[in-house]
Structures are given as structure tokens and as C-alpha cells.
Amino acid sequence: MQKLIIEGSKSTPEINFDPECNILSIKGQSYPENAFKFYESIFSWVDEYMQKLTTEVSVKIDFTLPYINTSSSKCIMMLLEKFDEAFLAGKNIILFWYYDLENESELECAEEFTEDLNLPFNIVTR
């Protein structure tokens, strides 16, 4: 399976999903004009990756999202639900959400996402 690399822009996060290292990273602000269109290829990649993933492999997921708009928030939740489903199916997944101490909304966003998830979700200052 190939890496999924999407360069970040002013309104979209950088995506670096490496299936060899099993590190999936999303970094940057997210407020694209059409969030579902932007995240569509990411959802497809994650679906394929999770199908091929064995329970012996550990996956580290890193989120660094200083700002996300409402439609991106829905897409991020959909993505987190995919990770959560995989975790509940026995996949070894750990998630780190990095936030800036001076950005309260970033922390609040992470805390809201954790409420409906079962996977290990670590909120860490950067």
C-alpha cells in the first residue's frame, strides 16, 4: 500500500499517512471550502489500510489541528469513528492529539472528540 501524502495549504492540513511505519499524521488548520471533498480520499485510504492491518501491528495516529471549522469537525469525527471501529475490532491503535497551551479551543475540541470514543486518546501539549 502506498503512502498518502497531501501537502498542507492555508486552509487544509498536511496529511502524511505512512503504512510502512504505521504512523498517520494530520497537521495544520482545516477549513476547506468543501471539507467532505477534501477528506473523501483520506476516508478511502483509511478504509483500505484498516482492512489490511493485522492485530499484531501497532498504529500511532498524530493529530495537530490548531483550528478546524464545523464541516471539518464532522469529517474529523467520521475519521475518528473509523479508527475507533478498528480499535473495537482488535486493531492496536493509539492516538495523540497535540494542542497549544494558549489555544483553549484546541483543547476543548480534543476533549469533545474523546467523549464518544473507546480507543486510547492522549491529549498532549506541544
Side-chain angles (χ1 to χ4, degrees):
M1 184 166 190
Q2 291 193 337
K3 289 181 181 180
L4 176 65
I5 307 282
I6 301 173
E7 279 193 40
S9 73
K10 191 175 113 186
S11 62
T12 59
E14 171 190 312
I15 307 297
N16 189 344
F17 287 1
D18 186 341
E20 288 182 26
C21 296
N22 297 300
I23 297 175
L24 314 182
S25 172
I26 299 180
K27 191 175 192 177
Q29 300 191 83
S30 183
Y31 56 96
E33 247 181 68
N34 186 337
F36 289 99
K37 187 175 180 185
F38 175 76
Y39 284 96
E40 191 173 29
S41 64
I42 298 166
F43 295 150
S44 299
W45 191 95
V46 167
D47 286 343
E48 185 181 343
Y49 176 70
M50 290 300 167
Q51 278 184 340
K52 293 179 178 176
L53 191 65
T54 63
T55 54
E56 295 82 29
V57 175
S58 296
V59 179
K60 181 177 181 246
I61 303 168
D62 293 328
F63 278 85
T64 307
L65 293 166
Y67 173 76
I68 56 176
N69 67 4
T70 304
S71 60
S72 290
S73 179
K74 289 177 185 170
C75 292
I76 295 295
M77 191 63 215
M78 291 167 65
L79 194 57
L80 291 171
E81 287 171 349
K82 289 180 182 293
F83 296 140
D84 199 49
E85 284 174 23
F87 175 77
L88 292 173
K91 311 289 172 137
N92 191 3
I93 296 173
I94 187 164
L95 189 143
F96 292 89
W97 187 287
Y98 298 95
Y99 75 100
D100 186 333
L101 270 176
E102 296 180 12
N103 187 346
E104 286 181 30
S105 65
E106 200 175 356
L107 174 60
E108 289 170 8
C109 186
E111 289 173 341
E112 285 177 22
F113 282 133
T114 64
E115 291 175 7
D116 298 323
L117 300 173
N118 300 291
L119 74 148
F121 194 115
N122 301 288
I123 302 173
V124 182
T125 57
R126 58 172 195 261

